[in-house]
C-alpha cells in the first residue's frame, strides 16, 4: 500500500488525556495550520479560522470555561468547577477550528460549514502524518455562549472542533468501521 494510503488507513482518534507532551514545535504548528487551511472552499471565502491554545494559555482558556460553567450551574461543587478549568490541559496542544460561515449572496452557508469540517479533518490528518495523535472533540463549552464569548468568538462564529494534539501512548486499538455495503450504493437508474 502506498505510504499516503497507509497513513489514511491507520488514522484513529486517541482520548484527549492520552496525548502527552512535548507539544509540537512552532514550526510543526505552522505545518499543521498550513495543511488545515488547504481545503476546498467554494467562493474562496475562508469561512474558518484557528485558535491555538498551548502552554499556560490553555489554563487561562480553562478559567474562562470554568467561569462559564459556574454561571450555568451556580450550585456546582467547587471540585467540578475546577475540573472544568482543566479541560484544555489534557493534551499539550489544542487547536480550535472556528466556522465563520455566514449568509452569502452565492455560496450556501452549509457549504461554508462543510469547509470548516474539512479543515478540522485535514488538521487531524496532518497531526497523524507528523507522528502525533489527535482527538477532534467539541464538548458542552463549544455550544455555550458565555464560554464562546470568553474565548473570543464573534456571535456568528461556531466551534467546528477543539482538536487535541499530542504524543500517542502507542498504536491505537481500532474500532469497528461501517461495512461498505451498508453505506455505499451504486446508482443504477
Ligand atoms: C464535529 C465532531 C465533534 C465531536 N465531538 C466529540 C466529543 O465532544 N466527545 C467525543 O468523545 N467524541 C467526539 N467526536 C468523535 C471523535 O472525534 C472520534 O471520531 C471518535 O472518538 C471515534 O474515533 P475515530 O476517529 O478513531 O473513529 C466528535 C467528532 C466530530 C466529527
Amino acid at each position: 500500500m502506498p505510504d499516503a494510503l497507509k497513513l489514511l488507513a491507520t488514522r484513529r482518534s486517541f482520548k484527549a488525556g492520552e496525548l502527552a507532551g512535548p507539544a509540537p514545535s512552532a514550526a510543526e504548528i505552522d505545518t499543521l495550520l498550513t495543511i488545515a487551511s488547504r481545503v476546498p472552499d467554494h467562493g474562496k471565502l475562508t469561512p474558518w479560522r484557528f485558535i491555538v491554545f498551548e502552554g499556560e494559555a490553555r489554563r487561562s482558556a480553562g478559567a474562562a470555561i470554568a467561569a462559564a460553567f459556574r454561571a450555568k450551574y451556580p450550585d456546582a461543587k467547587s471540585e467540578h468547577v475546577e475540573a472544568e478549568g482543566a479541560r484544555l490541559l489534557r493534551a499539550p496542544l489544542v487547536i480550535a477550528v472556528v466556522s465563520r460561515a455566514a449568509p452569502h449572496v452565492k455560496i450556501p452557508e452549509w457549504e461554508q460549514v462543510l469547509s470548516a469540517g474539512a479543515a478540522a479533518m485535514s488538521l487531524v490528518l496532518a497531526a497523524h502524518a507528523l507522528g502525533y495523535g489527535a482527538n477532534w472533540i467539541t464538548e458542552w463549552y463549544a455550544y455555550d455562549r458565555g464560554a464562546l464569548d470568553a474565548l473570543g468568538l464573534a456571535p456568528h462564529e461556531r466551534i467546528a472542533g477543539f482538536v487535541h494534539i499530542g504524543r500517542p501512548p502507542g498504536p491505537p486499538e481500532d474500532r469497528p468501521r461501517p461495512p461498505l455495503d451498508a453505506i455505499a450504493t451504486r446508482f443504477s437508474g
Side-chain angles (χ1 to χ4, degrees), residues 1-11 128:
M1 198 190 271
D3 286 352
L5 275 186
K6 202 178 289 171
L7 192 85
L8 294 170
T10 55
R11 183 215 63 84
H128 181 46

Side-chain angles (χ1 to χ4, degrees), residues 66 69-70 75-86:
F69 184 79
R70 201 182 299 109
D75 298 332
K77 290 199 170 109
S78 58
E79 310 91 86
H80 197 162
V81 177
E82 208 172 296
E84 293 298 333

Side-chain angles (χ1 to χ4, degrees), residues 95-188:
I95 300 181
V97 180
V98 177
S99 163
R100 305 199 286 184
H104 185 273
V105 64
K106 273 220 277 309
I107 313 298
E109 208 167 325
W110 165 238
E111 296 186 8
Q112 300 173 47
V113 173
L114 290 174
S115 184
M121 191 63 224
S122 289
L123 177 59
V124 165
L125 287 171
H128 181 46
L130 281 176
Y132 293 97
N135 190 14
W136 174 355
I137 52 180
T138 41
E139 302 187 325
W140 68 269
Y141 43 97
Y143 299 97
D144 183 272
R145 195 61 250 170
L148 298 181
D149 286 344
L151 297 177
L153 271 77
H156 74 284
E157 292 185 323
R158 282 187 289 172
I159 292 289
F162 290 101
V163 179
H164 289 59
I165 298 170
R167 288 163 206 270
E173 216 174 273
D174 205 5
R175 69 176 174 91
R177 302 288 163 177
L180 291 187
D181 60 5
I183 53 164
T185 52
R186 280 192 171 67
F187 185 70
S188 57

